[in-house]
Amino acid sequence: MRMSFWRFCLSVSACVVLLAGCAGEQLYREGQELVSQGRLEEGVAKMEAAVVAAPNDGRLKVGLINRRAELANRLVAEGQSEQLAVHFDQAEKLYRRALALDAANERARDSLAGLDRARQHAKMVAEAQEALKRGEVDRALRLADSVLAQNQAHPEMLALKRSVEEQRARDAATPPTLSNLYKRPLTLEFRDANVRMIFEAISRTTGISFIVDKDVRQDAKATIYLRQSSLEDAIDLILQSNNLQKKVLSSSSVMVYPATPEKLKEYQDLVVRSFYLTNADVKVTSQLIKTIIKTKDIFIDEKLNFMVIRDTPEAIRLAERLVALHDLGESEVMLEVEVLEVQRTRLQNLGIQFPDQVGLTVLPPSGATTLLLSGLRGINSNRLQASIGATTLNFHLDTGDVNILANPRIRVKNREKAKILIGDRVPVITTTATATGFVSESVQYVDVGLKLDVEPTVSSKDDVSIKVALEVSSIAKQVTTTSGSLAYQIGTRNAATVLKLRDGETQVLAGLISRQESTTANRIPGIGELPIVGRLFGNTKDDSSKSEIILSITPRLIRSTQRLDAFAEEFYSGTETNLRTRPISLQPMKTVGVDTASAGGPSADGASGAPLVNSGAAPAAAAGDGVAGSVDPDKAPTQVSLAWQASTSQAKVGDTVKIGVQLKSDGNLRSLPFQVGFNPAVVRVAEVGEGGFFRQEGAVTSFSHNIDNAQGRVVVGISRSSQAGAKGEGSLATVSFKIIAGGDPGISILAASPIPSVGPPISPSLPQALDLKIGN
């Protein structure tokens, strides 16, 4: 009776536990369903109730902990995206929801604690941008340094500081010019005049100050007659004719000094320029610059394919153009090769194979076991034993066709060798014995089979020249030496040639034929040699084999070298001793109607535009009757806008979507750093590419990017090396996103700082967040 009671209690307990487990499972499934609907708090509450209902189910507890942490981290990631988009209130709500789900989440606590600082930094960013608009560059940099001292990775301040420093570096590397001060055409007429007096006359006419070095000869004279010429060309011509050089100190002052090596070292400015080469070899490129520009101060790093040059600004500009010409992507070719060996064999064995010999053996006499000489007496047919071979009737015919096919595809760079071996490496053992009795063996390997060597050369017209070397070998027989070593007799057929084919053209090489024929006859002498009838009294074996090697090769261009435009392949470089990026031009200066008073300084006689002509030794200078003939081409932009360009508005998990950023500007821009934000839980950045907006007219650009998939941001910087900016509409950059989960990708442009050719940075018009639907 007592045992029945305890059994009853255990049964009841088991039923209670089972019912609790079922209830817990049901609550847990309901919680997961609520979470999938976006009702996170309700779903987690259901899961907690499931754990309470089934406290002994460890699987439900672990699932609750993992799910709670996962949802909290997702909310934190969304909050950080909102924070990057400067939506601080929404970010705060998401952080607090994450803490409500998982109070121990340190990431949510840190993000919420840093939100106030982010709000303060956003205000400082706005103040810095306003300071830049007012031209207060130093104050903007101080604000940027204050923010970066607390957050070294702040994207907006990094972009702002980088753009200002790039602008300052360009301004420092770009020497001042005289063309903006005096834009009127200049007329000069001097005969045997002192150079110092000529500069004095030009100074009175144009307002340009000349500082003459003490080592310029006092008696230096010049004769010059120029009409309607520009100020810079007139000064350069006077200096060049007297072995002098100039250094423009500002738009209204010039230093003149002798063009001697000592003075050049003293006055000539030098610029340091670094190049990271993508395709060209840095050693070859450095040799090119040394040969053409005669630059001596060059450092190269072969590991990074990196080069640094220190030379004059004119030499640096020429080096940039040479590097742009040389650092081009190499061509690549896909070679489709098909090697076919066709082998035909025929074996015919037909006829009657009669015995070709008869053997007789003398038997010993009866009762004897051995044959003695005395036993040769009385030999008769009973003591002779005859042995005759069998007679065979042969009706045999064998034929065979064997095709051995190799069809490799080889991708190879221009002027690089590629090798294919399809076969075996046969070991050849060599035995060496010394006088002391020591024996050693060495193994060497011989390649046997199909060997193909190719080397393509792509021409400028996309024709492909291919050096082809084909060898087909096989083991004919094994040879054993007297010492016991094993060697092989190898039969081979090879061909080597050079082909020139068009892209996609197929060429077939054939005719490597090997033929063997043999005939073996076994006949009865005499009668077997008779025509026709003799075939009945003998056997004939005919054996023939023929093999042919056929090679088919088809080149297909994957990538060809993209040459620059014709205007970029030929450019001016100055003289043997004086590098210049533009020639001294004495073409008549065109004039347009602008205010004469604003075009230049007063003339020598006090009346603007009145010519002073003197054909004697005294100086004479005259401003032409026209006025300045050029308008500043660098128009400052007033409207800059960015827009998305996407080929699709829907995608699914696992896809890669390429998104373009379009730029439109009504004025000249020299640089534009910007930042793109995204949800790292949904998408990841796979690749960032440069667009063609800043490459207008073949300009050289500098492109850099920094991808942070953990924080969900990518910072891109693009600048144009030439002084003239780019305007119009075009592609700024492309960003490829890899979709890793469903949800809102949160792709948006967080910040952008267009840098005009003239003037401070301006505020662009930014697009709304990208509308990209992601399905499963």
Side-chain angles (χ1 to χ4, degrees):
M1 184 68 182
R2 185 174 298 175
M3 290 295 296
S4 300
F5 174 75
W6 286 112
R7 287 178 182 174
F8 174 76
C9 292
L10 289 174
S11 300
V12 171
S13 300
C15 293
V16 170
V17 171
L18 182 62
L19 291 174
C22 295
E25 287 283 352
Q26 180 64 27
L27 290 173
Y28 193 84
R29 285 195 296 269
E30 292 177 1
Q32 287 184 323
E33 182 66 25
L34 290 173
V35 168
S36 64
Q37 296 174 4
R39 299 159 63 181
L40 307 184
E41 289 79 1
E42 297 179 23
V44 171
K46 282 282 186 181
M47 294 180 184
E48 292 174 349
V51 172
V52 173
N56 296 323
D57 194 339
R59 183 176 55 85
L60 296 182
K61 290 183 180 180
V62 173
L64 173 63
I65 294 172
N66 292 336
R67 193 62 169 168
R68 182 185 290 162
E70 177 188 351
L71 295 175
N73 289 331
R74 183 193 300 178
L75 290 174
V76 170
E78 293 177 4
Q80 289 177 344
S81 298
E82 295 292 340
Q83 182 175 329
L84 288 174
V86 201
H87 301 155
F88 297 118
D89 294 338
Q90 185 64 25
E92 183 177 0
K93 293 179 181 179
L94 292 170
Y95 294 152
R96 295 193 181 280
R97 286 182 63 189
L99 285 175
L101 290 177
D102 186 4
N105 193 297
E106 294 295 333
R107 188 179 174 189
R109 289 181 181 275
D110 294 341
S111 299
L112 187 60
L115 192 60
D116 293 336
R117 187 171 57 184
R119 287 191 173 104
Q120 182 181 2
H121 288 174
K123 294 179 181 179
M124 297 176 72
V125 168
E127 292 178 9
Q129 291 176 347
E130 289 296 328
L132 274 182
K133 290 180 181 180
R134 296 192 300 267
E136 300 174 3
V137 179
D138 292 336
R139 183 171 184 273
L141 287 178
R142 285 196 299 271
L143 290 169
D145 291 336
S146 299
V147 173
L148 293 175
Q150 302 178 47
N151 182 7
Q152 297 180 356
H154 196 281
E156 288 85 356
M157 284 307 193
L158 282 175
L160 185 145
K161 188 173 182 179
R162 186 182 297 111
S163 63
V164 173
E165 290 176 349
E166 287 178 355
Q167 183 66 35
R168 285 186 170 181
R170 293 192 194 95
D171 294 340
T174 304
T177 62
L178 304 175
S179 58
N180 291 332
L181 179 66
Y182 192 81
K183 297 184 178 181
R184 296 175 57 191
L186 191 68
T187 298
L188 300 176
E189 294 183 3
F190 292 98
R191 184 174 63 244
D192 292 332
N194 187 281
V195 172
R196 294 174 180 264
M197 298 176 65
I198 296 176
F199 288 141
E200 182 181 351
I202 295 176
S203 178
R204 290 198 306 268
T205 303
T206 63
I208 302 293
S209 300
F210 289 91
I211 304 171
V212 183
D213 187 87
K214 62 182 180 62
D215 292 330
V216 175
R217 292 189 304 120
Q218 297 288 338
D219 58 348
K221 295 183 178 181
T223 298
I224 183 171
Y225 297 93
L226 294 178
R227 292 187 178 276
Q228 303 296 309
S229 179
S230 67
L231 173 63
E232 281 190 299
D233 290 337
I235 294 175
D236 289 342
L237 189 59
I238 296 171
L239 296 176
Q240 188 170 353
S241 62
N242 287 272
N243 196 27
L244 300 174
Q245 281 282 5
K246 76 174 188 296
K247 180 177 181 179
V248 180
L249 303 178
S250 68
S251 60
S252 61
S253 58
V254 181
M255 166 70 75
V256 179
Y257 58 92
T260 60
E262 295 77 12
K263 291 296 181 180
L264 289 174
K265 291 181 181 179
E266 182 179 351
Y267 287 111
Q268 203 168 43
D269 292 325
L270 299 179
V271 179
V272 176
R273 175 73 160 88
S274 59
F275 297 90
Y276 285 92
L277 304 182
T278 304
N279 302 292
D281 183 73
V282 67
K283 293 177 65 178
V284 179
T285 306
S286 65
Q287 191 62 36
L288 168 67
I289 293 176
K290 289 179 181 178
T291 303
I292 301 300
I293 308 180
K294 306 297 188 294
T295 298
K296 297 180 180 179
D297 298 334
I298 296 182
F299 170 81
I300 63 173
D301 187 335
E302 295 185 51
K303 182 178 180 181
L304 297 176
N305 213 29
F306 169 71
M307 176 176 60
V308 179
I309 302 175
R310 184 173 184 257
D311 211 325
T312 62
E314 291 80 6
I316 294 297
R317 298 287 85 78
L318 295 175
E320 287 176 349
R321 302 190 72 170
L322 287 176
V323 170
L325 283 173
H326 192 229
D327 192 23
L328 300 178
E330 293 188 60
S331 303
E332 283 191 85
V333 183
M334 177 72 77
L335 297 178
E336 297 179 358
V337 181
E338 185 175 18
V339 182
L340 179 66
E341 182 177 5
V342 181
Q343 185 174 359
R344 300 180 179 89
T345 60
R346 180 181 178 88
L347 174 63
Q348 178 177 296
N349 193 359
L350 180 63
I352 302 173
Q353 187 172 354
F354 293 97
D356 54 3
Q357 62 181 357
V358 177
L360 297 176
T361 304
V362 180
L363 300 177
S366 176
T369 58
T370 60
L371 177 64
L372 303 177
L373 289 176
S374 60
L376 296 177
R377 286 183 255 163
I379 296 176
N380 53 30
S381 59
N382 293 328
R383 292 183 59 196
L384 293 176
Q385 180 179 347
S387 59
I388 303 175
T391 300
T392 305
L393 182 61
N394 292 318
F395 294 97
H396 186 72
L397 177 63
D398 284 341
T399 60
D401 293 325
V402 179
N403 296 338
I404 303 174
L405 179 65
N407 187 21
R409 293 190 176 188
I410 319 165
R411 181 168 177 170
V412 58
K413 291 175 63 175
N414 186 30
R415 300 181 184 275
E416 295 289 340
K417 294 181 180 180
K419 296 183 178 181
I420 296 176
L421 171 62
I422 302 175
D424 301 313
R425 303 196 70 191
V426 179
V428 178
I429 302 174
T430 304
T431 303
T432 304
T434 63
T436 60
F438 177 76
V439 179
S440 63
E441 291 184 347
S442 61
V443 181
Q444 295 180 340
Y445 290 91
V446 179
D447 295 332
V448 177
L450 171 65
K451 291 191 291 185
L452 180 65
D453 296 345
V454 292
E455 181 180 352
T457 301
V458 182
S459 68
S460 58
K461 297 181 180 179
D462 290 344
D463 289 337
V464 183
S465 297
I466 310 173
K467 292 182 181 179
V468 181
L470 172 67
E471 180 181 355
V472 179
S473 57
S474 60
I475 298 176
K477 64 179 181 179
Q478 296 181 352
V479 179
T480 304
T481 64
T482 56
S483 63
S485 299
L486 186 64
Y488 300 94
Q489 178 181 337
I490 298 176
T492 180
R493 279 169 287 170
N494 54 62
T497 185
V498 179
L499 308 174
K500 187 171 185 179
L501 305 175
R502 294 187 300 271
D503 180 22
E505 181 181 3
T506 301
Q507 179 63 49
V508 177
L509 301 179
L512 296 176
I513 300 174
S514 175
R515 176 178 295 173
Q516 295 180 354
E517 295 183 358
S518 64
T519 300
T520 304
N522 185 1
R523 301 174 183 150
I524 297 177
I527 191 172
E529 297 177 359
L530 295 175
I532 303 174
V533 179
R535 300 285 290 188
L536 300 176
F537 298 94
N539 183 76
T540 303
K541 181 180 180 182
D542 297 323
D543 189 359
S544 65
S545 64
K546 176 183 177 182
S547 63
E548 180 180 7
I549 302 297
I550 300 174
L551 170 66
S552 169
I553 186 167
T554 305
R556 299 192 185 277
L557 280 176
I558 297 177
R559 181 187 299 112
S560 60
T561 301
Q562 299 296 327
R563 293 180 55 182
L564 300 181
D565 296 332
F567 74 87
E569 296 181 351
E570 180 178 353
F571 48 89
Y572 184 78
S573 64
T575 63
E576 182 71 19
T577 58
N578 186 16
L579 295 176
R580 293 175 59 92
T581 56
R582 68 177 186 87
I584 300 176
S585 175
L586 294 180
Q587 298 294 328
M589 189 173 178
K590 297 181 180 180
T591 61
V592 295
V594 296
D595 184 23
T596 303
S598 63
S603 63
D605 64 350
S608 178
L612 293 179
V613 181
N614 192 337
S615 59
D625 54 358
V627 271
S630 64
V631 178
D632 188 354
D634 279 339
K635 175 187 175 183
T638 59
Q639 293 183 353
V640 177
S641 61
L642 299 177
W644 296 113
Q645 185 181 37
S647 58
T648 180
S649 60
Q650 294 183 349
K652 58 183 180 180
V653 177
D655 290 349
T656 298
V657 181
K658 180 177 287 188
I659 306 299
V661 181
Q662 292 292 111
L663 172 62
K664 183 177 182 181
S665 173
D666 62 350
N668 292 303
L669 297 177
R670 294 180 62 181
S671 176
L672 200 157
F674 67 97
Q675 179 187 2
V676 176
F678 57 91
N679 186 355
V682 178
V683 295
R684 297 177 64 88
V685 174
E687 185 180 4
V688 181
E690 181 182 359
F693 180 85
F694 283 104
R695 291 184 176 179
Q696 297 178 25
E697 302 177 355
V700 179
T701 60
S702 174
F703 178 75
S704 62
H705 63 274
N706 182 19
I707 301 174
D708 188 351
N709 280 317
Q711 298 296 326
R713 68 169 68 96
V714 55
V715 179
V716 183
I718 312 175
S719 61
R720 183 181 172 102
S721 61
S722 61
Q723 187 174 3
K727 65 180 180 179
E729 185 175 1
S731 173
L732 179 61
T734 58
V735 184
S736 297
F737 290 95
K738 176 71 174 180
I739 301 173
I740 60 176
D744 183 9
I747 301 174
S748 62
I749 297 179
L750 304 179
S753 300
I755 309 298
S757 297
V758 292
I762 64 174
S763 297
S765 174
L766 301 180
Q768 298 291 331
L770 181 67
D771 185 13
L772 180 63
K773 307 296 184 182
I774 298 178
N776 294 326

